[in-house]
Amino acid sequence: MTDLRFDFIDPRHPLYAGELELRFRVLREPLGHAREDVKFPFEDDSLHLVAHADGDVRGCVLFHPEDAHGGRLFQMAVLPALQGKGLGAKLVRALEEELRTRGFRHVHLHARAPVVPFYERLGYTLYGEPYEEVGIPHRNMQRDL
């Protein structure tokens, strides 16, 4: 993982196709969703942070600003072979640092139930009741930056 680079990209960047493929393979394909289900209507207005090496996207996390102070972290994905090795935490921390420099003060997210402990270790707290999204249990979480 030491050869990984972290870069903010947008949908016009050459790595964007790899980001979409990773998001599809990790987040949508296992649920039986179609490839086109991976894109959000607000992709162009979101921050895209990718971890990559040799032209391959190994991890990503996105952030959609909802107002001048905060927004939603979404589409966090790490290659299965690299999960559990700290890459996800590095992505979230790098995104949070950039958000702080841009003046954002809080982040919220929709966490799949199995990854709630991951976000808790990063300082996110639960709020609201459990619910279902994309056919699986989720929890709302938030953190002040």
Side-chain angles (χ1 to χ4, degrees), residues 1-141:
M1 250 188 357
T2 56
D3 62 339
L4 286 180
R5 291 189 46 202
F6 291 76
D7 288 301
F8 286 93
I9 66 168
D10 65 40
R12 295 173 301 281
H13 194 281
L15 290 172
Y16 181 64
E19 175 200 311
L20 285 177
E21 183 65 15
L22 176 68
R23 288 164 48 193
F24 171 68
R25 295 275 179 213
V26 172
L27 301 172
R28 295 296 187 248
E29 187 177 44
L31 302 177
H33 291 219
R35 186 175 295 275
E36 53 272 9
D37 291 342
V38 80
K39 278 194 178 184
F40 286 75
F42 43 83
E43 295 266 334
D44 288 347
D45 303 320
S46 299
L47 287 175
H48 300 243
L49 177 60
V50 297
H52 61 99
D54 304 320
D56 293 323
V57 175
R58 312 287 172 86
C60 65
V61 63
L62 283 70
F63 175 81
H64 180 68
E66 295 173 332
D67 58 39
H69 306 292
R72 178 179 164 201
L73 183 155
F74 70 109
Q75 292 291 283
M76 169 74 168
V78 171
L79 277 175
L82 296 178
Q83 291 175 7
K85 298 181 179 180
L87 178 55
K90 286 181 183 178
L91 280 162
V92 172
R93 291 297 185 228
L95 175 66
E96 291 172 343
E97 186 58 36
E98 178 66 18
L99 295 176
R100 275 187 213 92
T101 67
R102 293 181 183 217
F104 290 102
R105 296 197 302 263
H106 54 84
V107 175
H108 73 95
L109 57 89
H110 302 179
R112 293 178 179 194
V115 297
V116 164
F118 165 80
Y119 287 110
E120 286 178 326
R121 286 191 300 274
L122 293 174
Y124 288 79
T125 58
L126 293 167
Y127 70 95
E129 296 302 313
Y131 59 95
E132 190 173 288
E133 187 172 84
V134 295
I136 56 176
H138 276 71
R139 294 297 308 266
N140 285 330
M141 302 187 80

